[in-house]
Amino acid sequence: MGSPRVAYKLVDAFTEVVGGGNRVALVLDARGLATEEMQRVSAQLGEAQAAFVTDWDHTSFEVRFFTAGGEVEFSGHAAVALTHSLAQEGRIKTPQTLLRTIGGPLTARLEDRLALVQSPTPRFRDPPTWRALQEITEVLGANERYLHRGLPHGITFTGLWTLFVPVVAPGLVDALEPEMEPLSRLSAELGVAAVHVYAPIGPRRFYARTFAPALGIPEDPVTGSPNAALGAMLARAGVVPRWEGEVRLNVVQGHRVGGPGEVEVRVSYGPAGNILAIYIGGRAVVAKSGWLRAGGLPWHRRAMSRIQLVLIDVDGTLLGPSGVPECAWEAAQQARQAGLHLSLCTGRPGRGFALEYAKRLDPQGFHVFESGAVVVSGQGETVRASGLPEKAYARLLELSRRHRIPFEVYTAQGGFYRESSHPDLHQHEAMLGFAAEELPLDRVPGEVIRVQYVWRPSPAWEAVRQGILEIPGIELHEATSPGMPGVGFSSVTAAGVSKRSAAEWVARRLGLSLAQAAMVGDGENDLELIEAAGLGIAMGNAPEKVRRTARRVVKRVEECGLAEALALAWGLK
């Protein structure tokens, strides 16, 4: 069978004039295309970014986004162009639709001729030091006198981690002449994909430029994701009022590169002033359409091999009340022989029983531990670790001591520590298969990557949990285990660290995306990844919320549910 012909469109987003805004390549029917074929099509079309609709039903579309540097979680201008094009073709049948991305489902709709797309949930990191900001400013071709002291700088995520640099006037934004190689290096050091420079030009109106050499894009003309993140950062800093229910901002871009466009950003607030959602809006126009051949594997073969990685939780998924069923090991061996990659994905540390499970599950794989803070190879070598901010750790420890909630500390070097002898801690150690070292927890050696509260329901725990939620720069992950009924395990890692972020890293390391992965889990701490994976599978013993979210539900863990899930992933059932 020959290579299939693929229909494509080149669409200019955030403008109604061909040649304005930001151009993106769209493939509105990419069913069965493998990742490498999408990358090939993207390269053939010659645009900086491309979006592919890989599946759909009557209420939603599965979408993947690519840049020259590879697959990304979200592309704002591509999502706006895609929504506009799908609506124009009459394929959006309801008032709003869902875009199912590797980052999770996002709502989209058309208001008059304005396409509105929800951005991924905003995340925030500690801002760079003043010295780092000065260095970035110099590489941009400016100096610290350009900086606007009344507007926030910082690092925010709504699909791409972006550094924001405020300057005092739009003319200074246009005057920038960045050195791309040093800017790419500094972006990598700060862990950001783009640098967004902005200046005020009126009430709730800004002028901006976006530089993303780390993604292979020297300057992005008019951007969606960074402007959504800008809206989130301005809202969080109180620059825009929180009492209106919804605030609208406008950002003008692209004049410097000859492709002017305008982005509308909407920030929705809850009654308490908390950010509920960020939307980006814009118009779009089709510049060109046509056909090309994708090449690669025969169509039927590509469709059969869509899931290539299976991520597997431990407690309640692999491990049941009576241990790991033998049928699970047999199914894992068959799955490996069939060519699937298997990865453990757990909140447990990468030691003891959990490490032994990982080695047996897939000795050549990569396994996620510590709720995403650590990735370990099948040979037991740590290949990725993410530290917890020191100030956050000090506050977390103080909460434990003040309310006397049992507390565990894990380090990147494999250390496991506690400072009390609570019976629940000893029982947890027995379940893990190794003992913690007892010492004062303000003297822990090594880099702390995760802490964990081991708690039973009480007013003291509720006070601690509320305190955790008020600490910036961290993520809270909550779980239970059938091995300790009635006990909760609440882990804390650095912001941006999660099972999902680590799973994305594992997928990229294997040359895949989360759209080619299945996630099998049973707890609410698995929900994000069950939603983001190409195939989300819930165990029969999972809570109703998890079962309702997953695409497929299998039998309980003790009834060989994992074996059934692996068969589903490979397509045997």
Side-chain angles (χ1 to χ4, degrees):
M1 183 182 294
S3 301
R5 296 178 72 211
V6 175
Y8 71 87
K9 289 185 176 185
L10 302 183
V11 179
D12 294 330
F14 303 123
T15 182
E16 291 184 291
V17 178
V18 173
N22 199 351
R23 183 162 294 181
V24 62
L26 302 179
V27 175
L28 302 184
D29 185 357
R31 288 175 296 181
L33 287 182
T35 299
E36 58 271 17
E37 290 173 310
M38 285 186 253
Q39 291 172 326
R40 191 181 304 126
V41 167
S42 182
Q44 284 180 270
L45 292 172
E47 298 303 328
Q49 298 189 39
F52 296 81
V53 178
T54 57
D55 198 6
W56 62 85
D57 55 33
H58 66 288
T59 61
S60 65
F61 298 85
E62 185 177 274
V63 185
R64 296 176 65 181
F65 301 102
F66 289 84
T67 70
E71 188 166 13
V72 294
E73 184 172 316
F74 178 69
S75 169
H77 78 283
V80 164
L82 181 68
T83 301
H84 184 274
S85 297
L86 290 171
Q88 192 176 53
E89 290 192 357
R91 291 174 61 183
I92 298 178
K93 308 292 186 183
T94 53
Q96 70 176 21
T97 190
L98 280 179
L99 304 182
R100 304 194 310 269
T101 74
I102 63 172
L106 304 171
T107 61
R109 65 183 185 273
L110 200 68
E111 287 187 4
D112 191 12
R113 291 177 297 164
L114 189 77
L116 280 165
V117 179
Q118 180 187 6
S119 80
T121 302
R123 304 180 209 161
F124 304 91
R125 293 211 313 246
D126 291 338
T129 64
W130 184 251
R131 183 173 179 180
L133 187 63
Q134 286 178 308
E135 191 173 2
I136 283 280
T137 304
E138 290 171 4
V139 167
L140 288 170
N143 59 60
E144 63 181 83
R145 289 179 297 174
Y146 281 47
L147 297 176
H148 195 303
R149 306 304 172 99
L151 291 172
H153 70 277
I155 298 175
T156 306
F157 171 96
T158 53
L160 295 172
W161 282 108
T162 303
L163 169 66
F164 293 91
V165 180
V167 299
V168 295
L172 298 178
V173 178
D174 269 346
L176 298 176
E177 296 286 352
E179 300 174 62
M180 292 302 170
E181 189 173 332
L183 186 60
S184 180
R185 174 182 55 80
L186 289 172
S187 296
E189 290 176 3
L190 289 171
V192 299
V195 177
H196 196 68
V197 185
Y198 72 102
I201 55 174
R204 303 181 193 178
R205 192 170 175 83
F206 300 88
Y207 180 71
R209 292 173 69 189
T210 306
F211 307 103
L215 295 177
I217 305 171
E219 181 166 357
D220 213 2
V222 190
T223 57
S225 178
N227 282 317
L230 174 62
M233 186 182 67
L234 292 173
R236 188 177 191 236
V239 174
V240 293
R242 298 189 177 195
W243 58 82
E244 296 184 6
E246 181 181 82
V247 173
R248 300 186 183 187
L249 313 172
N250 288 85
V251 184
V252 178
Q253 276 190 267
H255 291 73
R256 184 68 162 74
V257 291
E262 185 163 337
V263 184
E264 182 173 305
V265 181
R266 299 186 185 182
V267 184
S268 296
Y269 294 109
N274 54 307
I275 298 174
L276 294 179
I278 308 286
Y279 289 86
I280 49 173
R283 292 180 166 81
V285 59
V286 177
K288 182 181 178 182
S289 61
W291 294 81
L292 52 77
R293 289 199 175 274
L297 296 171
W299 194 264
H300 71 282
R301 174 60 178 162
R302 284 194 304 272
M304 287 178 62
S305 60
R306 191 167 74 91
I307 297 300
Q308 299 180 47
L309 166 66
V310 182
L311 302 148
I312 300 168
D313 178 46
V314 173
D315 296 285
T317 301
L318 174 68
L319 178 69
S322 302
V324 179
E326 190 58 35
C327 57
W329 295 127
E330 293 170 357
Q333 183 178 2
Q334 292 171 359
R336 290 198 311 274
Q337 290 171 348
L340 286 178
H341 300 282
L342 304 180
S343 290
L344 211 62
C345 192
T346 178
R348 289 191 180 211
R351 293 175 58 186
F353 296 139
L355 182 57
E356 295 307 312
Y357 297 154
K359 290 179 177 179
R360 187 172 177 184
L361 188 70
D362 192 342
Q364 304 305 318
F366 297 98
H367 304 281
V368 176
F369 295 100
E370 313 273 14
S371 296
V374 171
V375 178
V376 175
S377 73
Q379 307 305 312
E381 176 190 0
T382 298
V383 293
R384 183 177 186 261
S386 304
L388 191 64
E390 291 183 10
K391 290 182 180 178
Y393 172 69
R395 291 179 63 180
L396 293 164
L397 176 57
E398 190 274 331
L399 282 171
S400 167
R401 287 173 168 173
R402 189 195 327 159
H403 296 279
R404 298 185 179 182
I405 298 295
F407 192 70
E408 300 170 335
V409 176
Y410 302 84
T411 69
Q413 295 74 28
F416 177 33
Y417 305 97
R418 58 175 168 81
E419 65 180 9
S420 77
S421 296
H422 194 282
D424 285 344
L425 295 179
H426 289 298
Q427 186 179 352
H428 188 220
E429 290 169 22
M431 188 175 78
L432 293 174
F434 59 95
E437 182 179 345
E438 188 169 335
L439 51 69
L441 292 182
D442 47 9
R443 301 178 190 174
V444 169
E447 181 184 25
V448 175
I449 54 171
R450 179 173 70 98
V451 302
Q452 182 163 264
Y453 298 88
V454 181
W455 55 271
R456 294 177 184 269
S458 69
W461 165 245
E462 290 303 321
V464 169
R465 189 178 188 280
Q466 184 58 42
I468 295 170
L469 296 176
E470 293 172 358
I471 300 173
I474 61 173
E475 297 268 353
L476 176 62
H477 317 268
E478 298 180 297
T480 58
S481 171
M484 291 182 65
V487 175
F489 299 90
S490 292
S491 291
V492 181
T493 63
V497 174
S498 64
K499 284 186 174 184
R500 176 178 147 187
S501 65
E504 288 172 341
W505 185 92
V506 169
R508 286 195 299 270
R509 183 72 177 256
L510 296 171
L512 306 171
S513 73
L514 280 188
Q516 295 167 283
M519 172 62 191
V520 191
D522 73 301
E524 293 197 10
N525 64 327
D526 299 317
L527 268 176
E528 183 184 27
L529 196 44
I530 284 174
E531 289 181 323
L535 177 61
I537 303 174
M539 300 296 287
N541 46 277
E544 182 183 355
K545 182 179 180 181
V546 178
R547 287 185 278 116
R548 190 170 60 245
T549 301
R551 292 195 187 180
R552 299 295 295 268
V553 178
V554 295
K555 296 175 182 176
R556 299 175 64 85
V557 59
E558 64 270 23
E559 298 170 345
C560 294
L562 179 57
E564 183 184 350
L566 289 170
L568 281 171
W570 176 237
L572 298 180
K573 290 188 178 180

